[in-house]
Amino acid sequence: MTRFLRQMFTIAAKDLRSELRTKEAVNASLSFALVILLLFSFAFDPTSDMTREISGGLLWLVFAFAGVLVLNRSFARELNNDCLDALISSPVPGPALFLGKAIANYVLLLGIECVCLPIFGIFYNIHWTGQPAWLALVMLLGTWGMTVVGTVFSALTVNMRLRELMLPMLVYPIMIPCLMASMQLTTPLLASEPISGDMLAWVRLLVGFDIIFTALAVTLIDTVLVG
Amino acid sequence: MRQKILIGIGLIAAGLLLRNIWLMLTNLPDEAFQGAIFRIIFFHVPAAFTAFLCFFASLISGIAYLRTQNLKWDAFSVSVTEVGLAFGAANLITGMIWARIIWGIWWTWDWRLTSMLLCWLLYAGYLVLRRAVEEPTERARLSAVMSILSFAVVPFVFFSIKWFRTQHPQPVLYGQGKMDTGYRAMLYGNWVPLLLFAIILIAVRMEQERRQRELDALRREIHAF
Amino acid sequence: MKALAVESVWKYYGDYPALRNIAFDVEAGQCVALLGRNGAGKTTLLRILGGLSRPSKGGVRLFEREHSDRSSRALTGIIGHGIAVYDELSAYENLKLFAELYALENPHKAAMEWLERTALDRVKDSLVREFSRGMRQRLAVARAFLHHPKLLLLDEPFTSLDDRAIALLQSLLRDSLAEGGTVIMSTHQLREAMELASHVVLLNRGGMAHSGERTAEMLADTGWLYRNYGDA
């Protein structure tokens, strides 16, 4: 068990180190996020009350669009020099490999989100600090759901031609329940309203989504990686 | 023999369908609020049933493929998914026609419509994934995984979209709760021929898949030397 | 002791059998040259032995253990077509990474030892991206030998290497064989392979054409094997 965890964190540390060294995905993702934030301002009047009503949705659209750029690279970066073969033929169990990569993606995604959130607040005049604990929880849960789905599909499509073109078509429909729950929860939080009553159902949905897809991913990853 | 059975099933399905249409037009009175167009529900609802039955079959055959490594399960999986998509499309289109006449709009983001559209996209994604993999065994393995993941998300889709939409105003829907028994009998009665048609389509598609595999093996045999 | 037992392995791509009923045993200490034309199934077989692919039928046993057992992976070392090291990490980081993944006692020591043996200790903190071709190849060799594998699987090892890396690889292979290690290599370079090999396995169209000891005729005349067992 401790060996499993050590191997998992070794993979996560390796991915983070090489990403932070090249910053390929992070730079692309952050600049894309900025572009989307700018584009939204043309789609509607950014000062109106409507902005407040759809703020959660906007924020998670930014996260989802920018996040997939990072997730996309996760297994693709192993293709260079056939590194993926070296990892699969090593004693590292598939689930440790998967979870290690997922953790690295999770950290990167959360980092990008933490940069986007204040920018979003400034551009659209939204006070996002009203419910910091709840907002953090929703971001942690929602981002993990996105990460797990994205990382699985990154593994699933790693050897396919036209991977980049195909991935959005596969990933977003699966992510929708997770994104929808996060959007629903984030909108009142950005208006500094606490989560209570009916809204807790969305938190349960997020937790359920995270658990089921993590379990499925861990179960299926060996099937995905070894033909 | 196989072909004769399929033609037999087809004849039965066509006979049932003609009888049902005849009964719908002559025996069942127009619905009080909706008039003649309500009859589309006898195709709309069974199409949805068939589509979801197909998607479920795709999940089962995906799991069966991963267990047995038998490519027949993969052929079954792709066949039912395609037929499921066809019936899903029939469901969406009949729904839109109905909505246009009753509500005056082609589309509304009602939770049922939205869920069906999303499921349709999910399984369209399955077909996109298949087209991207060239080697049949790898394709079977990866699409089985895709099928499992897709089906796992279906309940989430339904619950989330239902919660989402019930918090928002929506057009009042048909009162399905108090449907007349005559209508209900016709609803299920018309499912039988549609299901039979689905079975024929699946059988034809599976045969195509088998030939495709044979061709692929021959092509590999030639290219190997 | 039996290092490897290939038990009637079949591999299908769709309905096409790329490997048909492959069966042979390798005793510890043997060096097997895996021969055959392009498309005969050498790479497919090596990928199955390395755990990168699963046989459709039949099985593989490594040192009397089921191959599906993950712990048996620690016993194999693989050199494939790619160099399998990360361009954006330094030489030291690469070796330490793999030492950690193989759960070696002292990853730092193992990494340093192999940097020295491959004469890369001078540049240990430079990124692999900045390395010359030969340096990258030596690092790839170090990566494969790092965890002292008892079974080495080499796919066309001599084709992409430069002279210095070939010399390094050959000397490491000889050391490994002398210590009772086992080597299986697919190759086109018949002469280099025959000099090292104690046994040969010849594949033809996915089937076994011949398996047995490497005889003197094979060393003297590299075409002998194909003429006698292949479909020349």
Side-chain angles (χ1 to χ4, degrees):
Chain A
M1 195 59 207
T2 54
R3 173 181 289 193
F4 182 94
L5 292 177
R6 211 175 308 136
Q7 287 167 328
M8 183 175 91
F9 286 116
T10 306
I11 297 277
K14 188 275 294 174
D15 267 20
L16 281 175
R17 178 175 292 156
S18 37
E19 177 54 44
L20 293 181
R21 208 163 270 175
T22 59
K23 301 197 185 64
E24 283 169 350
V26 171
N27 281 345
S29 176
L30 272 177
S31 31
F32 188 44
L34 281 176
V35 171
I36 306 169
L37 281 171
L38 176 68
L39 284 177
F40 279 158
S41 72
F42 301 126
F44 54 86
D45 179 11
T47 51
S48 71
D49 282 346
M50 194 184 77
T51 316
R52 221 166 290 275
E53 271 167 47
I54 58 172
S55 57
L58 291 182
L59 189 62
W60 281 93
L61 279 182
V62 174
F63 291 172
F65 287 153
V68 164
L69 291 188
V70 171
L71 297 169
N72 213 341
R73 291 285 307 150
S74 182
F75 274 84
R77 80 166 80 247
E78 304 288 341
L79 282 183
N80 222 347
N81 299 345
D82 287 346
C83 288
L84 190 56
D85 283 354
L87 291 183
I88 296 173
S89 67
S90 78
V92 178
L97 176 59
F98 172 79
L99 289 173
K101 287 198 153 288
I103 289 169
N105 290 336
Y106 192 48
V107 172
L108 291 173
L109 252 56
L110 285 173
I112 290 166
E113 290 173 7
C114 288
V115 176
C116 290
L117 188 58
I119 298 177
F120 181 71
I122 293 167
F123 277 6
Y124 294 92
N125 190 25
I126 284 166
H127 305 286
W128 49 275
T129 45
Q131 295 283 345
W134 271 110
L135 188 60
L137 180 74
V138 171
M139 276 169 65
L140 289 173
L141 289 175
T143 309
W144 180 254
M146 266 168 55
T147 304
V148 166
V149 172
T151 312
V152 166
F153 276 95
S154 172
L156 199 67
T157 54
V158 67
N159 285 315
M160 294 180 194
R161 60 202 147 95
L162 305 181
R163 170 168 33 84
E164 265 90 5
L165 298 181
M166 202 170 44
L167 215 63
M169 170 79 191
L170 302 178
V171 163
Y172 289 123
I174 300 228
M175 278 183 188
I176 279 179
C178 166
L179 287 176
M180 200 178 342
S182 308
M183 290 172 175
Q184 288 295 299
L185 288 165
T186 307
T187 300
L189 287 174
L190 291 180
S192 300
E193 292 161 22
I195 302 289
S196 61
D198 280 355
M199 292 303 275
L200 285 172
W202 290 109
V203 179
R204 279 197 290 275
L205 184 118
L206 265 186
V207 173
F209 185 93
D210 286 2
I211 291 174
I212 288 193
F213 277 88
T214 310
L216 274 176
V218 165
T219 319
L220 292 171
I221 192 70
D222 272 322
T223 312
V224 171
L225 289 177
V226 184
Chain B
M1 187 59 199
R2 185 191 154 88
Q3 203 142 22
K4 276 181 190 154
I5 292 174
L6 286 182
I7 291 172
I9 296 175
L11 287 175
I12 294 170
L16 276 174
L17 197 62
L18 282 174
R19 174 184 155 275
N20 284 345
I21 291 173
W22 175 255
L23 285 177
M24 275 176 222
L25 295 177
T26 59
N27 256 17
L28 285 176
D30 281 3
E31 209 258 359
F33 299 106
Q34 300 176 6
I37 187 64
F38 89 97
R39 289 180 179 85
I40 208 167
I41 199 176
F42 300 128
F43 293 89
H44 178 71
V45 175
F49 287 171
T50 314
F52 282 108
L53 200 62
C54 284
F55 295 153
F56 183 66
S58 171
L59 166 79
I60 299 295
S61 52
I63 295 171
Y65 172 77
L66 291 181
R67 298 234 144 179
T68 61
Q69 309 285 316
N70 187 336
L71 285 167
K72 274 185 190 154
W73 284 113
D74 179 58
F76 183 67
S77 191
V78 63
S79 308
V80 288
T81 307
E82 282 182 8
V83 173
L85 280 171
F87 278 88
N91 169 268
L92 286 171
I93 291 167
T94 50
M96 284 164 75
I97 293 171
W98 181 84
R100 175 80 188 130
I101 287 169
I102 300 296
W103 295 334
I105 43 172
W106 286 110
W107 186 264
T108 168
W109 292 100
D110 161 59
W111 73 270
R112 272 166 278 220
L113 290 176
T114 315
S115 306
M116 187 43 132
L117 179 64
L118 189 49
C119 289
W120 201 88
L121 283 175
L122 268 174
Y123 283 92
Y126 171 94
L127 293 185
V128 170
L129 180 94
R130 287 189 73 88
R131 300 201 71 173
V133 193
E134 203 255 332
E135 199 266 286
T137 309
E138 192 186 3
R139 180 168 60 219
R141 174 170 55 90
L142 296 180
S143 46
V145 171
M146 176 73 191
S147 178
I148 294 171
L149 291 175
S150 300
F151 201 83
V153 89
V154 168
F156 285 103
V157 166
F158 270 74
F159 284 120
S160 60
I161 295 182
K162 194 170 179 185
W163 287 341
F164 180 59
R165 286 301 161 194
T166 46
Q167 290 171 351
H168 290 246
Q170 53 175 326
V172 180
L173 293 177
Y174 35 90
Q176 205 165 17
K178 41 186 188 314
M179 196 195 268
D180 185 77
T181 43
Y183 293 161
R184 187 176 298 271
M186 178 54 88
L187 197 73
Y188 290 111
N190 210 33
W191 191 18
V192 176
L194 292 188
L195 210 51
L196 291 178
F197 277 130
I199 289 171
I200 297 169
L201 289 174
I202 292 167
V204 171
R205 269 301 277 130
M206 278 186 75
E207 180 63 16
Q208 284 177 349
E209 281 292 310
R210 193 185 64 75
R211 297 211 171 131
Q212 188 66 47
R213 252 190 359 254
E214 224 168 83
L215 264 177
D216 179 86
L218 289 173
R219 195 174 300 130
R220 276 167 204 281
E221 189 92 41
I222 295 164
H223 287 310
F225 311 110
Chain C
M1 173 150 136
K2 229 186 264 177
L4 172 73
V6 181
E7 292 161 346
S8 43
V9 162
W10 292 71
K11 179 74 184 177
Y12 284 94
Y13 292 136
D15 283 352
Y16 171 73
L19 289 179
R20 310 168 199 219
N21 202 17
I22 305 293
F24 61 91
D25 290 347
V26 179
E27 295 290 324
Q30 292 180 350
C31 176
V32 179
L34 189 59
L35 305 170
R37 286 168 208 290
N38 271 338
K42 301 189 297 288
T43 299
T44 307
L45 180 58
L46 277 174
R47 286 182 70 83
I48 289 175
L49 299 183
L52 297 171
S53 165
R54 271 185 279 258
S56 310
K57 274 191 276 178
V60 175
R61 294 173 70 80
L62 282 187
F63 299 97
E64 318 285 333
R65 265 191 262 181
E66 279 303 323
H67 195 18
S68 46
D69 185 358
R70 273 263 161 194
S71 60
S72 70
R73 303 278 163 87
L75 303 171
T76 55
I78 294 186
I79 297 183
H81 297 283
I83 59 170
V85 288
Y86 293 91
D87 283 341
E88 61 277 9
L89 298 182
S90 73
Y92 170 74
E93 283 166 341
N94 263 300
L95 292 187
K96 184 153 174 280
L97 167 72
F98 281 99
E100 279 167 357
L101 294 181
Y102 278 91
L104 298 189
E105 283 282 308
N106 189 340
H108 168 76
K109 200 169 136 254
M112 291 308 286
E113 179 197 331
W114 279 95
L115 284 170
E116 219 161 288
R117 288 184 78 162
T118 49
L120 291 170
D121 45 343
R122 220 168 22 86
V123 288
K124 73 182 177 67
D125 292 322
S126 311
L127 299 188
V128 173
R129 196 191 301 132
E130 296 154 7
F131 277 19
S132 73
R133 216 171 111 82
M135 286 155 83
R136 293 156 68 94
Q137 289 164 349
R138 295 209 301 280
L139 186 63
V141 172
R143 205 258 320 140
F145 279 85
L146 181 73
H147 54 287
H148 297 283
K150 289 183 176 161
L151 173 65
L152 282 156
L153 302 167
L154 315 175
D155 195 2
E156 305 283 355
F158 300 116
T159 33
S160 59
L161 299 190
D162 69 357
D163 290 347
R164 192 164 168 196
I166 288 182
L168 172 72
L169 181 59
Q170 277 177 331
S171 92
L172 286 173
L173 287 177
R174 278 184 223 285
D175 290 353
S176 172
L177 288 167
E179 289 162 17
T182 313
V183 178
I184 298 180
M185 57 178 161
S186 79
T187 183
H188 277 115
Q189 322 297 97
L190 279 174
R191 194 165 305 279
E192 274 107 338
M194 287 301 178
E195 276 169 19
L196 270 171
S198 64
H199 289 72
V200 293
V201 168
L202 179 66
L203 296 184
N204 185 16
R205 302 186 177 196
M208 290 271 292
H210 175 70
S211 108
E213 283 187 30
R214 197 256 314 155
T215 56
E217 297 101 302
M218 296 180 194
L219 193 57
D221 173 8
T222 47
W224 185 88
L225 195 61
Y226 283 93
R227 277 202 305 283
N228 281 275
Y229 296 102
D231 57 343

